[in-house]
Amino acid sequence: MTAVGAFGLSVQDQALESDVRLGLSAVEQALVEATKSDVPFITVGAQHLLQAGGKRFRPLLAILAAQFGDANAPGVVPASVVVELTHLATLYHDDVMDEASMRRGAVSANARWDNSVAILTGDFLFSRASQILADLGPEAVRLQSQAFERLVTGQILETAGPGAEDDPVRHYLDVLSGKTGSLIAVSCHLGALLAGADEYVCDILTQYGERIGIAFQLADDVLDIASDSHESGKTPGTDLREGVPTLPVLLLRASEPDPSVPGDLRLRELTAGPIEDDELHAEALRLLRAHPALAQAREETLRWSEEARALLRPLPDCSAKTALEGLCDAVALRTM
């Protein structure tokens, strides 16, 4: 049993593991080619985040979904490249909106150059994705366009924030469904579609992709609070420090104040906005780790993961199905 990718995915079938590794290698080579330009400066900018690495989660799911049809069909790798280029492009734009200085352990494009270069580089990647997509047929174009609309809608919802009548937790999940779930769902859909899988299989895998994508993002929310930096490789409480309300804080705010819970009232006071002071940040992390809201966030994460697993039941038993179920297990392990 060996792990594939950075998600704790275990593949017990050597033939499937070989297919996945070869597919991801082909995707990586194609990404390098797709980010080249006749203008050297554009190539440097377009390959900036590509060279910083990444989990390639979306291509992985496209390749696994393709196992339910002809995994070697010629459109599978290009479709995987399309979804990853789209994802990379959104990262350039996200960093501008967030005024981020780092991305994947490297200086962000907007910090290395400026906002204009970062935005235009993202646009360049979108254009390259569109060129590749055009060769995959009108149905692929339609699906990717719909996913991209949902992605942008999710970003707008996040930027606008919940309205006065909106449930903040529901609004947050809607944001994740658009920003994260949509592109992961279409990764599964395109992989299966271009491999010639049956329509009902495509539908199941699309729904699975949406839910597992949201589950992984929610697991990140839990990890941001629960993990030490040496476990996750990230500085814990980053969103907490910046005052970005993720699921644990939103669940805290949605619950009634409970003086019987140690530190409950103090925690609500601390998480009312950004926490710049290191001592206050450490106090908030300690209190939130012990608060029922974190356990509730874990439960919500696992609920999405189990919904994803349940969707796979009608699919024929095979190594690819087992691997997709393994991703559901990986979500559970990440939240422990």
Side-chain angles (χ1 to χ4, degrees):
M1 184 183 296
T2 56
V4 175
F7 295 93
L9 171 63
S10 293
V11 177
Q12 298 175 329
D13 184 297
Q14 290 186 348
L16 175 60
E17 181 182 356
S18 177
D19 280 351
V20 170
R21 291 192 182 280
L22 286 172
L24 289 175
S25 177
V27 168
E28 205 66 29
Q29 292 174 23
L31 283 169
V32 172
E33 291 302 314
T35 51
K36 288 180 180 177
S37 168
D38 292 338
V39 180
F41 179 74
I42 295 177
T43 301
V44 172
Q47 294 186 348
H48 178 67
L49 287 184
L50 186 65
Q51 293 172 347
K55 301 180 181 71
R56 307 294 186 252
F57 188 40
R58 291 151 190 82
L60 170 64
L61 283 172
I63 291 167
L64 287 175
Q67 301 296 319
F68 293 89
D70 177 6
N72 296 315
V76 174
V77 168
S80 303
V81 173
V82 166
V83 292
E84 188 66 11
L85 283 175
T86 303
H87 172 59
L88 285 169
T90 65
L91 298 184
Y92 282 84
H93 289 179
D94 282 351
D95 286 345
V96 172
M97 296 181 67
D98 298 339
E99 299 180 351
S101 59
M102 299 291 291
R103 167 70 70 175
R104 294 178 173 174
V107 176
S108 64
N110 50 298
R112 179 173 174 179
W113 293 288
D114 57 31
N115 285 347
S116 295
V117 169
I119 292 169
L120 291 169
T121 302
D123 292 344
F124 173 80
L125 294 177
F126 283 132
S127 71
R128 284 297 172 88
S130 297
Q131 290 178 45
I132 298 169
L133 184 64
D135 291 332
L136 299 180
E139 179 65 4
V141 172
R142 183 181 67 83
L143 292 173
Q144 176 70 2
S145 298
Q146 290 175 341
F148 189 51
E149 178 185 344
R150 289 188 58 214
L151 190 159
V152 173
T153 299
Q155 182 63 70
I156 292 171
L157 284 174
E158 181 181 54
T159 302
E165 303 300 320
D166 294 333
D167 173 7
V169 173
R170 181 68 259 169
H171 177 271
Y172 181 66
L173 293 173
D174 287 343
V175 167
L176 295 190
S177 180
K179 279 190 64 176
T180 303
S182 62
L183 194 55
I184 294 176
V186 84
S187 300
C188 292
H189 199 158
L190 288 176
L193 175 74
L194 292 166
D198 291 339
E199 184 177 351
Y200 88 94
V201 172
C202 292
D203 184 56
I204 287 172
L205 291 170
T206 301
Q207 294 183 57
Y208 165 88
E210 177 116 5
R211 285 158 180 78
I212 200 66
I214 293 173
F216 263 95
Q217 184 58 58
L218 293 177
D220 279 349
D221 289 357
V222 172
L223 280 171
D224 187 56
I225 301 300
S227 292
D228 293 326
S229 57
H230 73 275
E231 294 176 306
S232 64
K234 300 178 181 178
T235 303
T238 299
D239 292 322
L240 200 62
R241 183 182 292 278
E242 296 175 355
V244 177
T246 57
L247 188 62
V249 170
L250 290 171
L251 290 172
L252 168 71
R253 293 175 180 175
S255 65
E256 292 293 328
D258 188 352
S260 69
V261 175
D264 180 83
L265 298 179
R266 173 62 172 161
L267 181 58
R268 292 170 191 273
E269 176 187 335
L270 288 169
T271 57
I275 310 174
E276 297 179 0
D277 181 84
D278 288 344
E279 290 186 8
L280 295 179
H281 179 258
E283 180 185 4
L285 260 183
R286 176 178 57 80
L287 291 173
L288 189 51
R289 284 170 175 170
H291 197 278
L294 183 61
Q296 292 168 9
R298 282 194 174 98
E299 290 172 5
E300 180 69 7
T301 303
L302 294 176
R303 183 179 72 80
W304 283 93
S305 175
E306 288 308 307
E307 280 191 14
R309 186 197 305 275
L311 283 163
L312 296 173
R313 286 176 191 148
L315 295 181
D317 291 334
C318 61
S319 297
K321 179 179 177 180
T322 301
L324 292 173
E325 290 171 337
L327 287 174
C328 300
D329 296 330
V331 169
L333 290 173
R334 292 175 84 223
T335 59
M336 295 300 179

